[in-house]
Amino acid sequence: MNTDSGPKSVHISRVYYRLGAAYAQQENPDKALQYYQRALVAIKNDFTDSLDIFSNPTLDGRLYDDTHLLETLHEKARMLALVPDKSGRHLEYSLSTYQLAIRWTDSLRQTYVLEGNELLWSESFKNIYSEAIHTAYQLYEKRQSPEYLKTAFSLSEKSKSLLLLEAFTTKTGRRNTSVPQVLLDQERDLSVDIAYYEKTYDRVLEERDSSRAALFQSYLRDARLELAHLKEQIESDYPDYYQLKYEGQTFDPDSIQVVLPDQQSALIEYFIGKEHAYAFVSSQENLQMIPLPHPDSIKSHLSAFRALLFDTKSFLSSPKQAYQQFNDAAYRLYDELLGTAIDQLPAAIDNLVIIPDEGLNTVPFEVFNTKLVTQASSNFGALPYLIRDYQIQYTYSIKLLQKNQERLLDIQPNNQCLAFAPSYREASRSIEELDVRGNRLRSGISVLENTAAEIEGIEQYFDGIFIASSDATKAKFVELAAQYGILHLAMHGEADYENTNFGHLIFSNADTNTLEHNLLYH
């Protein structure tokens, strides 16, 4: 092992990092790697191997700057993947460096210190996952080892836990979790204190101020002890939050057979990164990883398809043209996202479990068209929708699906039904007046025809409460919902593509009460 360690400080590390970035811009990965390696040595107290680019530091021991370590590991991994190498050795070490960076993101995610830059850090973390998944796919292409497919699938699934944790830790997410706000605030404050004490302790050590170092060391010890006690309380009282926040989210791709109920089911999980997109397709027989078109193309086509879904004016004024435009867009998305996957599925498959990513959770896969219709028509009911061939269900991650299945085993059977169908006949004000976000899909609350008959039909088969009138209010629903095993809501809803937390259902009497009284947010 080479041990030309040189001086150590975050300032020196950043100088080396900038030199590495300069060579990276010049498309000289070999030279960039030399400086990124020196940057790692300068930032980690017990790491001395400045000459071997295939050597990485451990994550324990003294560290001069945690976020800078992540940035340096990320760039080193990226450069390793760019070095021309027929053997695949550089790709191997690139993947292992990405995995080291991901383990470090787990450590960073356990604090709220980054809250002020939530979106920035979320994007940074996801870029690391995206590049790691692409590197694993390249290794699979080169070596045809299924282990690389499993690694890529595991990374995709792990990235889903990142999104779920973000939903917990953002201000909006914290309002929706069952963990009391006072505990969340205490957890955040202690994490911020610990980060401050750590950085100050390192600084006064460098300044050789022993008395202040001892003081901040005691502050650090006390704060860590208090946080440890708080974690014990959270683990005991709120295990779901604790597991997501503090326990490593591991996933075994071979366990997918436990999740899928039968030979007729297949799971399709999507990962949409910045430069690459993939679909992981798993049945009880095998696992496949299918590269998709560039994410920009997918997002563009999704945006166009969403616009067509809600362009009611065109449906009414130019039905034949709208029919053709809709079929073209619905088939294009089917072809991009599902065509190759479905062509390779066993013929017995008739149930799809979809795990979307990015904007894919804003469109119904059921109305994708499996064929391109060329004959002129305006009969939307005759289009070859995907729902004609498959039952479709959605979930946010395999881990979440497993947990929901486990909970179902503990739930007592409850076939009582609560069905609501607001009349909206009193609604004189428009959604435009009601919508505080200005991000609306409808211009008014129209009467939904036949929902009363829909509720009456359900009542013939189930016991429970069935309300098809102005009595179908949010207050009554919130009061009753927990008592029923089946919920049926025949009502208007409003999506929000800028912030999905503002999507809502619209209950009765939207023109007589405040928004808070009538709009139920998810």
Side-chain angles (χ1 to χ4, degrees), residues 414-427:
N414 183 347
N415 293 324
Q416 293 284 306
C417 180
L418 177 65
F420 272 39
S423 65
Y424 299 121
R425 298 192 185 279
E426 316 83 352

Side-chain angles (χ1 to χ4, degrees), residues 226-244:
E226 190 175 351
L227 181 59
H229 291 157
L230 180 63
K231 286 181 181 179
E232 290 178 359
Q233 180 183 351
I234 292 174
E235 181 180 16
S236 174
D237 298 341
Y238 309 98
D240 287 348
Y241 175 79
Y242 180 87
Q243 289 170 12
L244 188 60

Side-chain angles (χ1 to χ4, degrees), residues 116-234:
N117 294 306
E118 286 159 357
L119 296 178
L120 172 65
W121 280 104
S122 176
E123 181 180 353
S124 177
F125 290 163
K126 184 156 187 180
N127 285 343
I128 294 173
Y129 279 94
S130 178
E131 293 165 18
I133 289 169
H134 180 61
T135 303
Y137 180 73
Q138 288 179 293
L139 281 164
Y140 171 72
E141 288 280 276
K142 184 178 287 290
R143 296 181 175 172
Q144 293 298 304
S145 170
E147 290 305 310
Y148 295 116
L149 289 188
K150 293 179 180 180
T151 297
F153 194 15
S154 297
L155 288 169
S156 174
E157 181 63 19
K158 188 175 178 64
S159 75
K160 307 298 182 187
S161 70
L162 174 65
L163 297 176
L164 291 173
L165 180 61
E166 183 186 12
F168 265 126
T169 58
T170 58
K171 292 178 181 177
T172 303
R174 274 183 248 149
R175 289 197 297 268
N176 294 330
T177 183
S178 61
V179 184
Q181 187 65 42
V182 64
L183 290 184
L184 292 169
D185 289 343
Q186 186 180 358
E187 180 190 35
R188 182 192 184 283
D189 290 344
L190 285 169
S191 297
V192 170
D193 288 346
I194 288 170
Y196 171 72
Y197 295 149
E198 284 177 339
K199 292 183 183 301
T200 306
Y201 175 67
D202 284 341
R203 179 169 55 79
V204 297
L205 275 181
E206 287 186 6
E207 296 170 353
R208 302 181 184 277
D209 189 338
S210 58
S211 61
R212 293 190 69 207
L215 180 64
F216 279 99
Q217 187 176 39
S218 68
Y219 290 161
L220 185 58
R221 181 182 61 248
D222 292 345
R224 283 174 172 166
L225 184 61
E226 190 175 351
L227 181 59
H229 291 157
L230 180 63
K231 286 181 181 179
E232 290 178 359
Q233 180 183 351
I234 292 174

Side-chain angles (χ1 to χ4, degrees), residues 416-420 455 459 463-467 476 480 484:
Q416 293 284 306
C417 180
L418 177 65
F420 272 39
I455 296 298
E459 192 173 4
D463 295 326
I465 292 179
F466 303 86
I467 303 176
K476 185 166 289 188
L480 298 173
Y484 293 85

Side-chain angles (χ1 to χ4, degrees), residues 344-359:
Q344 298 181 34
L345 286 176
I349 298 294
D350 61 11
N351 178 54
L352 299 179
V353 180
I354 303 292
I355 300 179
D357 196 29
E358 295 290 335

